[in-house]
Amino acid sequence: MFAALRVLASRIRGWFSLRRVEEDFARELDSHLEMLMEENLRRGMPPEEARRAARVRLGGMTQLREAHRELHTLPFLDTLLQDIRYALRTLRKNPGFTTVAVLTLALGIAVNSTMFSLVSAFLLRRPPGREPERVAVVSAVNPNQVFHYDAFPVSAPTYLAWREANHVFADMAAADEYRTANLSAVGQPASAGRPATAGSPEAIPSAAVSPNYFSVLGVASQLGRTFADGEDQPGHDHVVILSHNLWEGRFGSDPSVVGRTTRLNRESYVIVGVMPADFRLLGFTPQLWTPLVLSAADQTAAARKDRSLHLFARLKPGVSITQARAEFAALAKRAEEGFAETEKGWGATVRTLPDFLIYNFEVRSGLAVMMAAVGFVLMIACANVAGLLLARATARRKELAIRLSLGASRPRIARQVLTESLLIALLGGSAGLLLAYWGIDFVRANMTFNEAISAVPLGLDWNVLLFALGVSLGSTVLSGLAPALTASRTDVHTNLKEESRAASAGRSHSRLRNALVASEIAAAMFLLIGAGLLIRGIYLIEHQNLGFRADHLLTASVTLDTARYKGPSEQTFFVRDVISKLQQIPSAEMVAAASDLPATGAGSVTLRIKGQPELPANGRLNARDAVVTIDYFQTAGIPLLRGRTFTETDNARAPRVIVVNQEFVHRYLQDQEPIGKQIRLDVIGAAPEWSEIVGVVGNVKAYSEETRDDPEVYEPFLQRPASSFALMLRASADPNNLASALRETVAQVDAELPLDRVMSMAVVIERQKGGDTFFVRVLGSFALLALILAAIGIYGLIAYSVGQRTHEIGIRMALGAGKSQVLRMVLGEGMKMAATGAAIGLVLALPLPKVFDAMFYGLHLRELRLYFLVPMAIFVVATLATYIPARRATRVDPMVALRYE
Amino acid sequence: MPDGKSEILQGTLDLMVLKTLETMGPLHGYGIARRIEQISEDALQINQGTIYASLVRLLQKGWISGAWGTSENNRKAKFYSITKAGRKQLAHEARSWERISGVIGRVLRIAERE
């Protein structure tokens, strides 16, 4: 063992000082030779003969030196260097080939690295904090099949009960991550004779968290401190922690900000800390944190219906997630028994923090599709390069045959081709990384459809670099292995013969070529069908009729805080005031307010229809429920089908009225006459009353990005005022022109009330699509890229093979074959390859609609036409790629072809 | 050196070189080759240059060491001497040989008797 190491060590040393070693040995040999000569001279030989005899006795000097050298080096390294030098020379001699090959691989590697940067940013980045895998997220499991039903937030009483009852967590924190805080600069409170002044109010996404939230996660603040115990009690709770973003943007990165007061929700809060820039939990993007205050009201049994808390907990040492899951399943059962009315059917589940973030923010499917798509692009690129290498090997088969006959070993030849492929891949990889750098910039600039997504930093990090390296090496194998093996199998005899030009490339060459063409076609087919399905599905959704007029509509979101708007009468007064003032704006045609904008996912209620039997709590009918002002339907352009909409007389003192949509009538009333029927809604926190249906309006899609129609009911604002709602203005011209007028008008009514998300309805819908347009565009470009690469590859391969057979074609034509016969022969072979590839690709693509249905919620894709269109397109491309070079070959004069070599 | 040379032959040559150096003390390449020729009574007719492969192997394994010096005729030559590790190896090999030859001898004698 040690001996072998010593030998290796001395070989490595020898490799470095090779020249000195060789010189040394040369001198030694010389000295040996001299001594032999002397002996011969002593024996009486004449000098000339003495020298000759000495040489013979010593042995061939060159051989000795060579053998000596070999003992001192690492032969493997030597041949590798030789191969690299040779490959470099070859690549330099064929600049055209090299450029095409390197660019092709560069494209493939670039798109893969760019997409992988997304994977790295979303899936591979560790959440912040100490040991995030030991942080668990407890969620409720909703018995109703709603979106993400098994990652549902939890109610406050549940949190408090579970915090005490569990044995698996060292500490448990709760967070309401989706609040909005009204932030204004410190202003002057109202005093006698002077109203309050404040800085410009801004609605900031915020979170209310229990004091141990940050310590459970294991993150420290950058400035100041995090919350202390007891700061969730009234009287001590006016403290706030800023996010790094907010501190930079709104407070000018002022290092002395800790200890200052600021005005939050119309009250004074003290800033106690600033979080570091890398504190980000994927899609949760609050800009500031306040303590979560749980009053007595929040702890009653009724409060169990309000589920808005996410629970974060740290596992005790030695406890596993499975144990935690089991314990909470049991705790949920106990809750069901204790509070059947609110907890019936509800379960609980526990996930690690990284798992929860990925699941909750849904990025896996989209990324999986993208990575698969670019994977295919890369495969096609590799196939192209493989084809190029193969074509080159075919061209050099005579030279290869000579080298083989001179003693080169077949593995050596294979290694050489592989080395060439490695160099191409490394060059392509570097170029690809450069392209990826720009690609990532482009992606970053365009992925701004979502605060959550754009908050995640995207860049060329180590993961991406390692990935690019891995992909380059993989491409080497993929593109170089087959040609290398084929080259090494070059038949010496047939290729050395004089008439070698008569023979087309060996059987293994053309088999490989056929396989390459078929696989490129299969990959292109699969990619095109998949992309086509997704693009078509998204197109359908984007262009569906939403049921209302989204054009010329300006919207804004308002939250009336309880500090100033204590109850329904204040809320009603505000809305009336604001709407009448807004109606004064010159180019505002109609104004309305609604609890939710159309097609943005209104909340749902369960209900009961008079005359129909009472259903159990879990099986009740449910419908979407929106609260709207008088002019809502006209403002939104929702057609009235029967009866009437709301008027001023439908106020708090009048009998309750309701408007339903067409789907409601169809699904729950079996299309019978709806007007006059009575409904009772189960609204949280209100006594149930019977309302009368007075009108039917057209359907509006529940979500702009889904195709389904849900039954919906509308209530008049005056009868059920809400504290947060959206304002809608129908403009005669561009709605964005009204934005400043809107702000001013609202400021007139309440200077400190922030207007959130002022944007046209078109932009709202655009934002709701999330990344869909971006996704589609990127996917579409990948598919197109793949098709172009495949077309180029196929054309190249077939053109080259036809070119090789020019000699053969010349003979056939000289022997009397007609042009069309030759054409048919070549075309036929090309079509056979294409057909095989197309069949494989088609079969692979059959299960795609089902796969997409599972991956993308709400997308129902049934597009049979694609399964005909894409094969046709590929057929056309393949035909052209075969026909053009074939035609060229037949045009050649047979005499020229015969002499062609 | 032709590739086909068997390892046994290599090993035997190495052993002979080692033994020569142990018996004769420090010697240069020519001297080692002459000595081996003498001992084998010229039965081993090899090119003298072949010992250099053995010398390199033995050097790499650390069983001999080499240094430039002056020969009897005032000629510069590289002298090789056996090291302690080399002596140990030699003793080890000698014992192996004795054991093997003893076994073979017994086998042959048995065969002879029958």
Side-chain angles (χ1 to χ4, degrees):
Chain A
M1 170 71 218
F2 278 121
L5 278 181
R6 288 200 66 161
V7 174
L8 186 62
S10 87
R11 280 195 174 219
I12 293 178
R13 257 177 308 164
W15 189 73
F16 278 112
S17 50
L18 193 58
R19 187 157 299 164
R20 194 170 50 80
V21 165
E22 285 183 321
E23 281 172 6
D24 200 63
F25 186 59
R27 273 187 293 155
E28 201 176 344
L29 278 183
D30 279 341
S31 134
H32 191 141
L33 194 65
E34 297 258 334
M35 290 193 239
L36 275 173
M37 251 185 68
E38 267 186 28
E39 184 190 328
N40 287 339
L41 286 174
R42 267 205 305 270
R43 290 238 200 95
M45 286 192 209
E48 269 314 307
E49 186 164 345
R51 182 170 285 271
R52 203 179 45 80
R55 274 191 200 276
V56 169
R57 195 129 156 246
L58 185 56
M61 299 273 264
T62 338
Q63 273 165 304
L64 284 175
R65 275 206 286 262
E66 173 101 13
H68 181 94
R69 195 156 166 274
E70 248 177 59
L71 283 170
H72 276 95
T73 65
L74 299 157
F76 166 69
L77 210 55
D78 251 358
T79 45
L80 184 64
L81 277 181
Q82 233 178 22
D83 283 341
I84 292 181
R85 262 195 298 246
Y86 185 82
L88 272 175
R89 239 194 353 247
T90 322
L91 288 180
R92 241 201 313 244
K93 266 202 295 191
N94 297 297
F97 163 84
T98 314
T99 321
V100 173
V102 168
L103 273 182
T104 311
L105 273 191
L107 270 175
I109 294 178
V111 294
N112 269 279
S113 307
T114 309
M115 274 307 119
F116 190 78
S117 72
L118 285 173
V119 171
S120 166
F122 286 100
L123 296 182
L124 298 182
R125 204 151 286 175
R126 287 180 94 218
R130 195 183 73 242
E131 288 181 316
E133 319 79 43
R134 295 296 295 170
V135 176
V137 177
V138 179
S139 315
V141 179
N142 193 336
N144 302 313
Q145 289 292 323
V146 296
F147 184 63
H148 273 157
Y149 68 97
D150 59 349
F152 219 75
V154 150
S155 66
T158 312
Y159 156 62
L160 293 167
W162 285 354
R163 190 179 59 181
E164 300 311 314
N166 85 86
H167 304 101
V168 288
F169 293 132
D171 200 1
M172 191 188 243
D176 182 353
E177 302 270 3
Y178 292 117
R179 289 204 180 173
T180 316
N182 172 2
L183 178 74
S184 43
V186 179
Q188 314 292 353
S191 62
R194 192 172 53 106
T197 58
S200 54
E202 199 180 331
I204 310 265
S206 70
V209 301
S210 53
N212 56 353
Y213 176 74
F214 296 103
S215 64
V216 164
L217 287 177
V219 288
S221 60
Q222 180 171 325
L223 293 179
R225 61 175 177 83
T226 57
F227 294 135
D229 281 330
E231 279 181 335
D232 57 344
Q233 299 306 317
H236 302 269
D237 62 331
H238 277 38
V239 285
V240 62
I241 298 179
L242 306 176
S243 75
H244 199 264
N245 236 14
L246 189 65
W247 175 62
E248 280 182 335
R250 187 81 190 222
F251 292 85
S253 305
D254 179 4
S256 66
V257 76
V258 175
R260 287 217 325 239
T261 32
T262 186
R263 204 160 159 75
L264 207 63
N265 296 334
R266 303 184 207 270
E267 294 179 15
S268 281
Y269 275 70
V270 179
I271 301 174
V272 294
V274 177
M275 293 307 288
D278 60 359
F279 177 62
R280 193 181 301 110
L281 288 179
L282 206 62
F284 289 138
T285 50
Q287 295 291 308
L288 58 86
W289 293 268
T290 52
L292 178 70
V293 181
L294 295 176
S295 62
D298 292 317
Q299 302 181 36
T300 59
R304 285 173 167 269
K305 291 211 192 125
D306 181 12
R307 295 179 163 87
S308 53
L309 295 180
H310 285 93
L311 301 186
F312 300 85
R314 189 163 281 277
L315 288 164
K316 282 196 181 132
V319 176
S320 72
I321 273 285
T322 349
Q323 286 172 278
R325 220 171 272 147
E327 170 148 323
F328 273 85
L331 283 174
K333 268 240 142 23
R334 237 193 291 168
E336 245 187 305
E337 288 154 21
F339 300 94
E341 197 196 316
T342 48
E343 307 289 343
K344 183 109 201 280
W346 286 80
T349 183
V350 183
R351 292 184 180 83
T352 60
L353 183 60
D355 283 346
F356 172 79
L357 290 177
I358 293 177
Y359 178 68
N360 203 36
F361 296 108
E362 269 263 292
V363 275
R364 230 180 223 150
S365 330
L367 282 179
V369 170
M370 297 290 231
M371 283 311 287
V374 293
F376 273 100
V377 172
L378 184 66
M379 281 205 284
I380 294 181
C382 286
N384 278 13
V385 176
L388 284 170
L389 284 170
L390 180 66
R392 267 259 312 273
T394 314
R396 294 158 60 197
R397 60 186 190 277
K398 196 152 184 188
E399 171 207 335
L400 288 176
I402 293 177
R403 290 177 64 204
L404 279 170
S405 68
L406 281 179
S409 66
R410 289 183 190 270
R412 185 75 195 275
I413 304 260
R415 221 170 43 213
Q416 213 148 54
V417 179
L418 264 180
T419 315
E420 258 181 69
S421 166
L422 179 68
L423 278 178
I424 295 177
L426 287 177
L427 283 172
S430 327
L433 269 180
L434 195 64
L435 287 174
Y437 181 75
W438 288 319
I440 293 179
D441 266 353
F442 173 78
V443 166
R444 203 189 298 124
N446 280 290
M447 258 186 29
T448 50
F449 37 82
N450 200 328
E451 295 92 31
I453 304 266
S454 46
V456 179
L458 216 56
L460 263 183
D461 54 29
W462 279 111
N463 289 333
V464 179
L465 287 175
L466 282 172
F467 175 79
L469 183 65
V471 165
S472 302
L473 292 176
S475 321
T476 308
V477 173
L478 255 171
S479 54
L481 194 63
L485 289 174
T486 313
S488 69
R489 290 216 208 94
T490 307
D491 190 25
V492 177
H493 297 295
T494 30
N495 282 310
L496 275 184
K497 285 206 279 239
E498 249 321 291
E499 313 87 65
S500 72
R501 19 191 192 111
S504 305
R507 197 111 49 94
S508 55
H509 282 237
S510 44
R511 248 211 311 265
L512 179 62
R513 190 204 61 208
N514 293 351
L516 281 174
V517 173
S519 52
E520 286 203 36
I521 290 184
M525 171 87 83
F526 181 78
L527 191 57
L528 280 170
I529 292 185
L533 278 173
L534 282 175
I535 294 174
R536 176 90 184 131
I538 289 174
Y539 175 84
L540 278 177
I541 286 180
E542 275 187 28
H543 290 84
Q544 64 175 339
N545 181 8
L546 293 171
F548 70 101
R549 282 180 52 208
D551 57 294
H552 291 92
L553 214 53
L554 181 67
T555 70
S557 178
V558 173
T559 309
L560 298 176
D561 51 288
T562 44
R564 186 161 148 167
Y565 300 92
K566 297 199 185 353
S569 45
E570 287 90 354
Q571 291 160 355
T572 316
F573 183 78
F574 173 85
V575 168
R576 271 207 163 114
D577 199 7
V578 137
I579 288 188
S580 64
K581 286 202 166 62
L582 285 173
Q583 279 165 338
Q584 314 277 346
I585 301 179
S587 38
E589 291 177 351
M590 313 218 64
V591 183
S595 57
D596 300 278
L597 289 171
T600 57
S604 53
V605 286
T606 50
L607 57 98
R608 210 196 128 183
I609 304 177
K610 201 169 216 177
Q612 291 189 4
E614 171 121 21
L615 298 163
N618 268 347
R620 287 215 182 123
L621 307 176
N622 64 28
R624 301 206 168 270
D625 178 26
V627 171
V628 302
T629 58
I630 298 166
D631 292 323
Y632 170 77
F633 298 103
Q634 277 180 297
T635 314
I638 302 175
L640 174 67
L641 301 177
R642 292 188 66 89
R644 65 169 181 90
T645 58
F646 303 130
T647 62
E648 273 292 339
T649 53
D650 300 311
N651 56 27
R653 291 180 298 271
R656 288 194 165 269
V657 291
I658 270 201
V659 167
V660 300
N661 72 349
Q662 179 73 3
E663 179 67 21
F664 185 97
V665 176
H666 176 71
R667 216 190 278 192
Y668 295 151
L669 299 177
Q670 290 78 45
D671 293 318
Q672 293 167 0
E673 174 60 56
I675 311 284
K677 288 221 163 30
Q678 307 247 346
I679 304 183
R680 196 181 71 188
L681 301 175
D682 305 318
V683 176
I684 302 173
E689 290 178 53
W690 290 100
S691 320
E692 181 179 330
I693 302 181
V694 295
V696 182
V697 293
N699 292 330
V700 172
K701 300 280 175 209
Y703 291 94
S704 64
E705 65 273 20
E706 290 186 23
T707 50
R708 61 176 214 253
D709 287 315
D710 283 347
E712 187 155 7
V713 302
Y714 299 91
E715 299 183 85
F717 193 92
L718 296 176
Q719 291 189 342
R720 205 184 292 287
S723 62
S724 86
F725 48 86
L727 291 171
M728 291 160 48
L729 282 80
R730 178 160 290 282
S732 46
D734 182 1
N736 293 307
N737 294 342
L738 292 181
S740 47
L742 171 62
R743 283 188 209 272
E744 280 166 15
T745 314
V746 171
Q748 272 177 32
V749 178
D750 182 350
E752 262 195 313
L753 186 68
L755 267 186
D756 195 14
R757 289 182 295 228
V758 177
M759 52 181 90
S760 64
M761 190 72 211
V763 173
V764 171
I765 293 180
E766 182 70 35
R767 283 243 183 137
Q768 287 207 138
K769 285 197 234 127
D772 283 351
T773 0
F774 175 73
F775 182 68
V776 159
R777 280 205 210 114
V778 172
L779 202 59
S781 5
F782 288 158
L784 199 60
L785 183 64
L787 185 60
I788 293 177
L789 277 177
I792 294 177
I794 297 168
Y795 178 83
L797 279 168
I798 297 184
Y800 193 79
S801 89
V802 170
Q804 289 294 92
R805 297 168 73 185
T806 306
H807 188 82
E808 172 199 339
I809 292 177
I811 294 183
R812 283 182 192 259
M813 288 177 56
L815 286 178
K819 277 204 184 137
S820 52
Q821 253 179 304
V822 175
L823 261 175
R824 242 180 304 146
M825 177 190 76
V826 178
L827 261 176
E829 290 175 17
M831 287 298 105
K832 226 183 348 186
M833 281 189 285
T836 327
I840 297 176
L842 209 57
V843 165
L844 283 176
L846 279 177
L848 276 181
K850 282 240 177 56
V851 170
F852 286 148
D853 272 353
M855 283 185 5
F856 296 106
Y857 187 85
L859 213 60
H860 296 286
L861 301 164
R862 295 287 177 268
E863 201 60 43
L864 284 178
R865 274 182 298 175
L866 268 179
Y867 285 90
F868 293 111
L869 283 176
V870 173
M872 292 263 275
I874 298 230
F875 182 74
V876 166
V877 169
T879 312
L880 275 176
T882 323
Y883 179 73
I884 296 176
R887 181 119 183 267
R888 212 154 15 122
T890 60
R891 288 248 205 83
V892 177
D893 180 8
M895 291 310 294
V896 176
L898 277 173
R899 281 198 293 261
Y900 187 82
E901 206 172 318
Chain B
M1 198 165 288
D3 269 340
K5 202 166 179 105
S6 74
E7 283 207 16
I8 303 172
L9 203 53
Q10 273 184 9
T12 319
L13 197 55
D14 289 5
L15 200 55
M16 287 198 285
V17 170
L18 211 53
K19 183 67 183 174
T20 308
L21 286 176
E22 194 213 26
T23 324
M24 308 284 295
L27 211 56
H28 46 60
Y30 169 69
I32 299 174
R34 282 297 291 135
R35 171 73 180 170
I36 292 181
E37 279 174 350
Q38 285 170 356
I39 296 230
S40 71
E41 288 151 17
D42 288 324
L44 242 47
Q45 281 291 354
I46 49 173
N47 289 334
Q48 284 203 348
T50 56
I51 57 154
Y52 283 107
S54 292
L55 286 170
V56 170
R57 280 195 295 269
L58 292 169
L59 265 174
Q60 286 182 339
K61 288 187 190 148
W63 295 340
I64 63 177
S65 61
W68 279 95
T70 338
S71 74
E72 322 77 55
N73 305 12
N74 251 335
R75 176 153 286 118
K76 289 212 84 179
K78 195 160 185 190
F79 285 82
Y80 295 93
S81 19
I82 191 170
T83 62
K84 201 158 73 164
R87 286 184 207 276
K88 261 206 304 207
Q89 180 68 17
L90 203 52
H92 175 80
E93 292 283 343
R95 278 199 299 275
S96 296
W97 259 113
E98 280 174 27
R99 234 179 311 139
I100 292 173
S101 61
V103 170
I104 293 180
R106 281 202 292 278
V107 168
L108 290 177
R109 262 176 268 138
I110 291 172
E112 238 178 85
R113 261 190 249 135
E114 296 185 2

